[in-house]
Amino acid sequence: MANFVPVECFDLIIFGGTGDLAMRKLLPALYHRDRDGQLTGDSRIIAASRGALTRDAYLAEVEASLRANLREGEFEAKGWRAFAERIHYFQADAFAHDAWSDLVSALAGFEDRVRIAYLATAPSLYGAIATGLRVNGLVNAGSRIVLEKPVGHDYASALAINDDVGRCFAEDRIYRIDHYLGKETVQNLLALRFANSLFEPLWRRGAVDHVQITVAEALGVGGRIEFYDKIGALRDMVQNHLLQLVCLVAMEPPSSLGHDSVRDEKMKVLRALRMIEGEAVRSRTVRGQYAAGAINGATVPAYAEELGNAGSTTETFVALKLEIDNWRWSNVPFYVRTGKRLHSKHSEIVVQFHEVPHSIFPEQKYNVQPNQLVIRLQPDEGVELTVMAKEPGPGGFELRPVSLNLSFEETFGIRYPDAYERLLIEVLRGNPALFMRRDEVETAWQWIDGIVAGWQEAGQKVESYVAGSWGPSGSSLLLDRDGRAWQADA
Ligand code: BG6
């Protein structure tokens, strides 16, 4: 990372401190920021959770998890000892507010420093924890609260959570995380669109034929399978990550990077998304669930087998055709898809431009392919622009698509920081631009609820797909009907 400007001294309380998110993502991210000198003075990381644990026992868990989750060579004894000094542990049950006295005493006398509560727990606890902070007098003028996604499981539950938390914290103190907004390439999308004049005139109907967004995972659901079975891919991934990507691709240029400028533009896109309801779900949505298969040569069981319930109708894959009802994107479909146990971990945004209006290379006319801009989110983050070129040599024109290919890692030659490193620093600095505002979350849920209701009314089944493939055949058909194909599968 280019700059490691230290952040003001803080107390960061992580509720759900023993959980998977804290162990796998938050603490490794904080460790990196500490090693790069961004955490200053005696800033503290105060883990809180239901269980009774001594500080030493907690530190042993953190150390083991850092060793397991950091890349080779990143764990370093001296750095760990310094980081461990910052870490404390207190027992705090979300609902037993009068039993938070140890936590309250640890924070007494530190009212002047930046105080952040990070809720890395189930969303059903958000209201109770926010209330616990308020009734225990732990909310001060500078306090911020961070909510992990998902904020609720539908519009009604999101509204209730936002109301509960909103009674304790002002909206500008609430940071709703969507970690995709912390990914370097996602931010690079802003740089690509708004720090270059090249693309803007072409970034619209007339020049763009359609947009594809793929977020494919090779992994399955892992230890979260029971939770996931109640949620499915639409709510787990589309409501947040994919819709945020759609917003960043489709939004109008904001007037600044100021937090409300960007969020106002994203909101306009969410409002312009055509609802997919009723019968439209049949032609515009595909649901899939993985059957047994093989990924990278290793066999993997079916979702239903992993779950131990052959009757589950939860989707582990979803593909949608979206329409954005505004001038810029009229009649330019956005195809989005995401799924577990797909061919490989592969996420990208493809902006497909129109064919040339008239080919002057008649005998090669089928070779002239439309330009494509591919923004690769993972792996190998980068941007690739496909243009047609003439193959060298005499004897007529042989045309071939070639790539102007920018790999960020090769170009900048640095370790790519995890999204959480960036987002935690933004919270500590008090910059909410990369976080979701209440209206964004609620509007996204209303749109998702329409699809869920449509699925129920239409009795839309999940199509089976072989683990290790690119999803069910319905997903290819979704584009095939429009004379198109998914780029990544080619
Ligand atoms: C999370 C989802 O928000 O994002 C997970 O709940 C998913 O199901 C994960 O695996 C994907 O994140 P990334 O950064 O690995 O693409």
Side-chain angles (χ1 to χ4, degrees), residues 24-25 148-150 178-180 183 215-217 219-221 224 227-228 236-237 240-241 340 345 347 378 418-420:
R24 270 192 328 107
K25 292 288 184 183
E148 253 305 321
K149 69 140 273 257
D178 181 317
H179 77 276
Y180 268 55
K183 286 186 189 276
V215 177
E217 296 183 86
L219 288 178
V221 185
R224 296 191 309 151
F227 163 78
Y228 185 91
D236 184 44
M237 296 293 286
N240 34 79
H241 307 324
K340 304 274 184 201
K345 186 168 175 78
S347 303
Q378 51 200 19
D418 187 77
Y420 280 95

Side-chain angles (χ1 to χ4, degrees), residues 415-426:
R415 175 186 77 87
Y416 255 64
D418 187 77
Y420 280 95
E421 294 180 46
R422 173 69 187 261
L423 293 173
L424 280 162
I425 292 294
E426 297 298 322

Side-chain angles (χ1 to χ4, degrees), residues 388-403:
M388 292 306 296
K390 178 191 170 299
E391 277 192 21
F397 272 91
E398 287 299 328
L399 299 176
R400 195 153 58 95
V402 292
S403 293

Side-chain angles (χ1 to χ4, degrees), residues 29 58 67 86 115 129 170 175 194 222 296 326 335 349 361-362 390 417 426 428 449 452 456 462 464:
Y58 184 68
R67 286 181 186 275
R86 302 190 179 284
R115 179 177 294 168
I129 296 173
Y175 289 65
F194 305 124
N296 280 332
N326 62 20
Y335 302 97
I349 299 168
F361 306 99
K390 178 191 170 299
E426 297 298 322
L428 294 168
D449 283 359
V452 174
Q456 278 157 5
V462 283
S464 174

